[in-house]
Each structure stands twice: as C-alpha cells, then as structure tokens.
Amino acid sequence: MALDYFAPGVYVEEVDRGSRPIEGVSLSVAGFVGFTEDVRGDAELFKPMLVTNWNQYLELFSKPGSDGYTDFDAYLPFAVQGWFLNGGGRCWVVSIGTKLPGSELPPPEETGSKLFTSGGKPSLMFNLKLPEAGAAPALPSSSGRITVSILESEPKPLDDDADEDAIPPLNTGEFFSVVVRNGNEILERYDNLSMNPQVETALADYVLTALEASEFVTIANLSQSGQALSRRPRNGSYEIAPPPYISPLENLARDVQGARNDKTGMQGIFEVDEVAMIACPDLMRVYQEGLMDLDQIHGVMEMMVSLCENSFPGPAYRMAVLDAPPVKPGKNENRAVPPEQQKPQDVFNWLREFNRRSMFGALYYPWIKVANPRNGGRPILVPPSGHMMGLWCRTDETRGIFKAPANDTPRGVIGLAYETNMREQEMLNPVGINCIRNFASYNRGFKVWGARTLVEPDNVQWRYISVRRLISYVEKSIEIGTQWVVFEPNDQDLWARVSRTVSNFLERLWREGALFGGSAAEAFYVKCDAELNTNETMMLGRLYVEVGICPVRPAEFVIFRISQWAPNQ
C-alpha cells in the first residue's frame, strides 16, 4: 500500500494476492564422459560442453570433415549418436582425451595442419611448438589454439640508400605474409615471404628460414616441385591444433573424476544443474584395453552413484545409467571378455560382486549391436547407456516422465550381444538388471523389457525408474517454483498461497495421468497450517509444508485369470 496520501484524488495500487504457478523442470538433459576424436572450437578438454544435435557434436569433438568416431573405437561417439537417434535433446559432453591413456604421441606429420595451394596441392604444414623437446603439450582449449593467417604481401622495399633511379622489384604474386594469432591477439607477423629457397634476401625471405625464430609454431615444406608462385599457400586462416593430450595411466582415474572447483571431468558434469542423467560409456573401453582393473571400474561407478545421491542443498534428482563390464567373475578370471561371451549368469554374478544398491542407479543388459562408420558400416558391440537415456528422454516427451521407459523400441540397434529369454530374465529382473530383448517370434523387434532401479529388491517404494524420476520432478519443480516464498511474512495468508500454488501444480499432474486416484483428493494432499507451523517454528524463521502424492506405477506383471464359465440355463 502507499505510505501516505496528501492530495485528494483516486489512487490505484497493485496488490499481489494470487498464487504463482509452478512450472515443471526438465529432467531430460544428459551428461556424457568419455573419449572424442578431437577437441576444437569452443570446446575444452575435461570441461563440460553443451551439445544440442549431432552436427554440433561434430563441430566440437571431431576433425573437420570427419564422421566423429575414433580409430580406437571409443564408445562415447556411439553413445551420443544413440542419444540423439532415440529422441534425446540437449546433452553435456566432457572429453577426457582424444587418445587412449599411455598411447604413443603421434608424429608431427599426423597432427599438423596442412595448407594447400590454390590448385589444391600440398604447400606447408604447421605444428604448435612444444615448450621443450619431449615435453607434454598444453591442454587444447579455445583460448590455447593458434590461428595462422596467410595474407597477400609484396617484395621487400628498396633500401633508403638505394639510387633514386633504381627500379622497384617486380611483384610476381609469389609473396605472402604469415600472421600468428591467439584469438584476436597478434603474436607474430612475418612479411615478404616466398616459397623459393634460393630467393634473394634483398627481395624476400624463404618462409622456412624466416619462421625458424617463431616461438609458437614449427613449419615444414610439403611442396615437391614447381615455381614459387605455384607452390604458394592460398590465402586464408587456419587453426593449428596442439598435439593430442595423452594421459599417463596413473592419471586416468583422476582425469575421469575431475575436480569440482575446476568444473572438470565427472564432477564438472555434476556442476551443470540441468543435467539429470549421467553415463560414462568409455569406462568399458578402458577396461577392455586393460587400462583399469575391475576394482577401479567399480570405484568410478561408485562415485557416479554417490554424486547422484548427494545433491545438497536441494533434493537429489540425477540418475546414473551404468553399463555392465564384459566380465566372467570367478576365482581365477577377472578380466574383460568379448561382450557376446557375457551370459546372464555372468552379469548377475558381477552385480553381486559390485554390490552397490541405489534408487538413483539403473543398469541395462546386454550390450547392443550398432553400425560402425569407421569400419564400413559393419556392426560393433557398444554399451547401451547412451541409447537408453535417449529413450528416457523420448518417453518424457511423448508420454510423460511418469511413464516407465520400457516396452519401447531402441533406435539404431541392429542386434544384441546376447538374446536373453524369459527364464533368464526371471533371474535378472528381480535384482534390477533391465533386459533388452529380441521379440522376433512375436514380430515385435527389439524392446527394452525392464524399468527398475538398482535399489534393494525389498525396497518396493523406489523399485521403478519412472517413480523415482517422477518424485524427483515434483521435488525439484516445487523447490524452484516456490523461491518467491522466502522472506515473505509467515502468516495464514502465506500458508494459503503456498498451499494453493502447490495444489494447482499437483492437480495438473493428476489430470495428466501422473498421479493415481479417482479424484484430486485421492491423488495428493498439501498441508500447511498452524499444526505444522507453531509459534516456536515461526520464531526460528521456518515454514513447513507437508506434501503427499500417490504416483502411478507401471503394470510390470499383467495377469489374466481365465476360467471356463457355464451360463445358467
């Protein structure tokens, strides 16, 4: 209200008495950690980068003109492609390298940036100069990459003491300048250059000789023959990428884990608030290559699940989608095997050995067969986590977050590592291993045939993925949608407004089919009254609101009871 009134007249005041609607948050954004072919553009190694489609992924994490996959069959590109194929939208990607840890540094001719003549023939090759011979390269980033520009130039001008009648040298078009930049900052500039090794120094400088003094780049002459003009590189700007970062084996686990303060690695993904599902498919690649043993793999998985469980100060809302390592647990064998050799009993025994239970984790079996562009489109077996998270997102969009992401077809899948039958799934399903099945005999194709979390089997309240995600959706939406309540006068008027706000949100969910009940009163309740908010709690500055909801649960087992019936004559 106005503070005072002095002159007679009509005063109009705005009074905010209505409830503010709660807008549902999105829990359909994924986070991926793994190896990529390259790291360029605005992307940085170990830092989460937003990717909204496959083309954008190629711009950030593949070499120019490439298909985005790697020569060592990293699983991350397959997972991200599967995410988008199955309906995934935004995702965040963390690259932990472009080569497997412990690999040899490729020779400069493989990592250098090649410049071509106007006729398309090789001219020059540039590489970043390392700090010292054999030293590890700096991590590639958008600010650390160098740009080399080739510009028009001319022969050197005549000396000041030359005869007045001297004829200036003829500009044959062979001369050019090299400008080395870091962003918009010019680091070095070399003018009056030529591709002719025997060029007169009074006329120009041979490009290799001139750039020997460069502090930032090294240069090689790729041209074979011809005149200086025909060997001249064409004008333009070229990105000079550093050599790939190759992690020492002892640093691999630390690189994957990252650091929260630096927002790197797995912990960097958890600093992105909108990420609600996490996968690290290349854990399986490093395990297959023998770069991590099973205990180390379990350590990373444990970290993923624990980070999902801990979302202080708000409610936990993320889920980790795990992949089953291709292993046959036993007394004398604890090493990777081909994924097709891992049978249902093996994954059952592995999960018992891993022995980590959580309502914020999910596991799918078996591995899936997809096309590999790096091998002529021939099939390759990959972990299913990326495809499954994409299917989660598609279910959210088409049906709602309350619908179990199951009995649906995973896109991009052309086969399975193992075709589980019903009897085998009877062993896996009760312990939370979700099967991907082939229902060819029913002419139904491949189906995701499980929707359980990795919670303890006897904890039936949090058994289903859809229930866990629906409750997280409600909690997170209410948390964000009621921020306006903080520091409001704690009285009956506020209690009524808060109750109305939350009730309207839950009634909308009930009408959409997310809550069970024949009426709104049967589906949920919201309590905010003097019984909860006593004088003592108000003196402490606290407002308590009690909310109860009845989520719908998937019909996992459909039982028809059929008997013979004889009508009365």
Side-chain angles (χ1 to χ4, degrees):
M1 77 176 89
L3 293 177
D4 45 40
Y5 304 97
F6 292 109
V10 177
Y11 296 85
V12 178
E13 302 171 354
E14 289 188 2
V15 180
D16 185 9
R17 298 191 185 279
S19 61
R20 304 188 185 186
I22 295 176
E23 184 177 2
V25 300
S26 172
L27 294 186
S28 302
V29 180
F32 293 95
V33 178
F35 298 103
T36 60
E37 184 188 28
D38 200 359
V39 181
R40 62 191 183 98
D42 293 331
E44 297 184 40
L45 198 64
F46 301 123
K47 298 279 186 150
M49 191 66 198
L50 176 64
V51 178
T52 59
N53 55 61
W54 181 246
N55 287 335
Q56 191 174 16
Y57 175 87
L58 295 179
E59 292 174 2
L60 297 171
F61 296 108
S62 72
K63 296 178 180 178
S66 171
D67 54 22
Y69 297 86
T70 66
D71 294 332
F72 57 94
D73 289 335
Y75 292 136
L76 177 69
F78 294 100
V80 176
Q81 175 76 297
W83 160 262
F84 289 120
L85 277 178
N86 282 276
R90 298 192 309 277
C91 67
W92 291 77
V93 176
V94 172
S95 174
I96 57 173
T98 57
K99 295 288 183 183
L100 287 174
S103 303
E104 293 185 1
L105 192 67
E109 55 268 20
E110 292 185 12
T111 61
S113 297
K114 297 179 181 179
L115 279 59
F116 296 87
T117 67
S118 57
K121 296 182 178 180
S123 176
L124 295 173
M125 182 174 67
F126 284 89
N127 278 284
L128 283 187
K129 180 175 287 187
L130 298 181
E132 58 184 31
L139 301 186
S141 67
S142 57
S143 59
R145 292 198 171 196
I146 299 297
T147 300
V148 169
S149 298
I150 305 297
L151 307 175
E152 291 288 348
S153 188
E154 55 189 18
K156 293 180 180 180
L158 295 172
D159 294 336
D160 293 338
D161 55 355
D163 290 340
E164 295 180 359
D165 298 332
I167 300 175
L170 178 65
N171 188 351
T172 61
E174 67 181 89
F175 309 105
F176 60 96
S177 297
V178 172
V179 180
V180 182
R181 290 188 178 91
N182 183 7
N184 295 324
E185 178 187 3
I186 296 179
L187 303 176
E188 296 174 338
R189 183 181 180 108
Y190 303 89
D191 295 314
N192 317 119
L193 302 178
S194 172
M195 293 292 293
N196 182 8
Q198 285 82 38
V199 67
E200 296 181 17
T201 55
L203 188 64
D205 295 319
Y206 177 44
V207 60
L208 265 63
T209 304
L211 268 72
E212 282 182 353
S214 174
E215 298 180 10
F216 302 97
V217 296
T218 61
I219 188 172
N221 189 349
L222 302 180
S223 60
Q224 299 297 321
S225 61
Q227 299 298 317
L229 178 59
S230 63
R231 297 161 64 185
R232 178 194 186 280
R234 61 171 172 253
N235 294 344
S237 294
Y238 306 89
E239 188 180 71
I240 312 301
Y245 170 76
I246 299 178
S247 170
L249 286 179
E250 59 271 16
N251 290 350
L252 176 56
R254 186 175 63 186
D255 289 343
V256 174
Q257 179 175 346
R260 172 165 292 182
N261 293 339
D262 298 332
K263 296 184 179 180
T264 58
M266 184 71 68
Q267 297 200 63
I269 280 282
F270 279 87
E271 290 299 303
V272 181
D273 289 338
E274 69 172 358
V275 170
M277 51 187 89
I278 312 292
C280 185
D282 275 325
L283 271 182
M284 303 300 102
R285 170 51 67 205
V286 298
Y287 178 63
Q288 288 178 302
E289 296 293 332
L291 306 178
M292 276 187 171
D293 60 31
L294 199 56
D295 287 335
Q296 291 174 298
I297 297 296
H298 289 169
V300 177
M301 289 181 171
E302 161 64 29
M303 179 193 67
M304 292 171 63
V305 174
S306 296
L307 288 174
C308 287
E309 292 174 334
N310 182 18
S311 187
F312 183 82
Y317 60 96
R318 296 183 175 100
M319 292 196 68
V321 182
L322 305 180
D323 298 300
V327 65
K328 286 178 169 290
K331 179 183 290 187
N332 299 320
E333 186 173 9
N334 194 13
R335 56 182 174 81
V337 299
E340 61 271 20
Q341 292 184 15
Q342 186 184 39
K343 302 300 187 289
Q345 182 67 50
D346 299 325
V347 72
F348 178 89
N349 291 337
W350 166 78
L351 183 59
R352 185 168 55 186
E353 181 180 328
F354 179 39
N355 200 28
R356 179 61 160 95
R357 289 290 170 177
S358 174
M359 68 180 74
F360 295 97
L363 176 68
Y364 289 88
Y365 169 84
W367 285 27
I368 55 177
K369 189 180 295 183
V370 300
N372 185 2
R374 282 295 169 95
N375 191 21
R378 296 177 180 85
I380 181 176
L381 291 171
V382 302
S385 53
H387 291 69
M388 296 302 101
M389 293 197 305
L391 191 143
W392 287 17
C393 184
R394 184 170 87 220
T395 304
D396 292 350
E397 295 292 327
T398 58
R399 296 291 302 277
I401 199 170
F402 57 88
K403 165 68 172 67
N407 198 5
D408 206 345
T409 301
R411 299 170 184 167
V413 176
I414 59 177
L416 302 174
Y418 182 87
E419 295 194 359
T420 312
N421 61 38
M422 183 176 179
R423 293 304 181 190
E424 290 167 330
Q425 190 173 9
E426 286 179 342
M427 173 180 60
L428 301 181
N429 194 65
V431 297
I433 301 174
N434 300 315
C435 289
I436 307 169
R437 298 271 303 275
N438 183 1
F439 289 97
S441 59
Y442 293 89
N443 293 319
R444 299 189 66 227
F446 301 109
K447 297 291 180 183
V448 178
W449 208 243
R452 294 196 176 195
T453 68
L454 282 174
V455 75
E456 297 84 353
D458 59 346
N459 191 347
V460 296
Q461 278 192 315
W462 303 107
R463 173 174 289 176
Y464 297 109
I465 293 170
S466 56
V467 174
R468 174 63 270 174
R469 297 184 70 231
L470 173 62
I471 300 298
S472 296
Y473 171 81
V474 171
E475 292 172 346
K476 197 66 178 175
S477 298
I478 291 177
E479 178 201 11
I480 295 177
T482 57
Q483 293 294 313
W484 59 271
V485 179
V486 181
F487 294 116
E488 289 290 306
N490 194 355
D491 56 12
Q492 289 90 341
D493 180 63
L494 181 64
W495 301 349
R497 293 174 66 191
V498 172
S499 297
R500 202 158 50 240
T501 295
V502 177
S503 296
N504 290 344
F505 170 66
L506 295 178
E507 183 173 351
R508 189 166 72 246
L509 285 180
W510 168 68
R511 293 186 183 279
E512 291 172 356
L515 305 180
F516 177 83
S519 65
E522 294 178 358
F524 67 88
Y525 74 87
V526 180
K527 182 178 180 180
C528 183
D529 54 19
E531 183 181 352
L532 290 177
N533 297 284
T534 64
N535 183 64
E536 289 78 10
T537 61
M538 287 190 288
M539 291 293 290
L540 294 173
R542 299 176 182 177
L543 169 64
Y544 287 99
V545 184
E546 187 177 296
V547 179
I549 65 174
C550 184
V552 293
R553 299 177 186 274
E556 188 178 19
F557 309 102
V558 181
I559 301 104
F560 288 94
R561 292 176 174 169
I562 301 173
S563 62
Q564 295 188 46
W565 174 70
N568 294 328
Q569 300 296 328

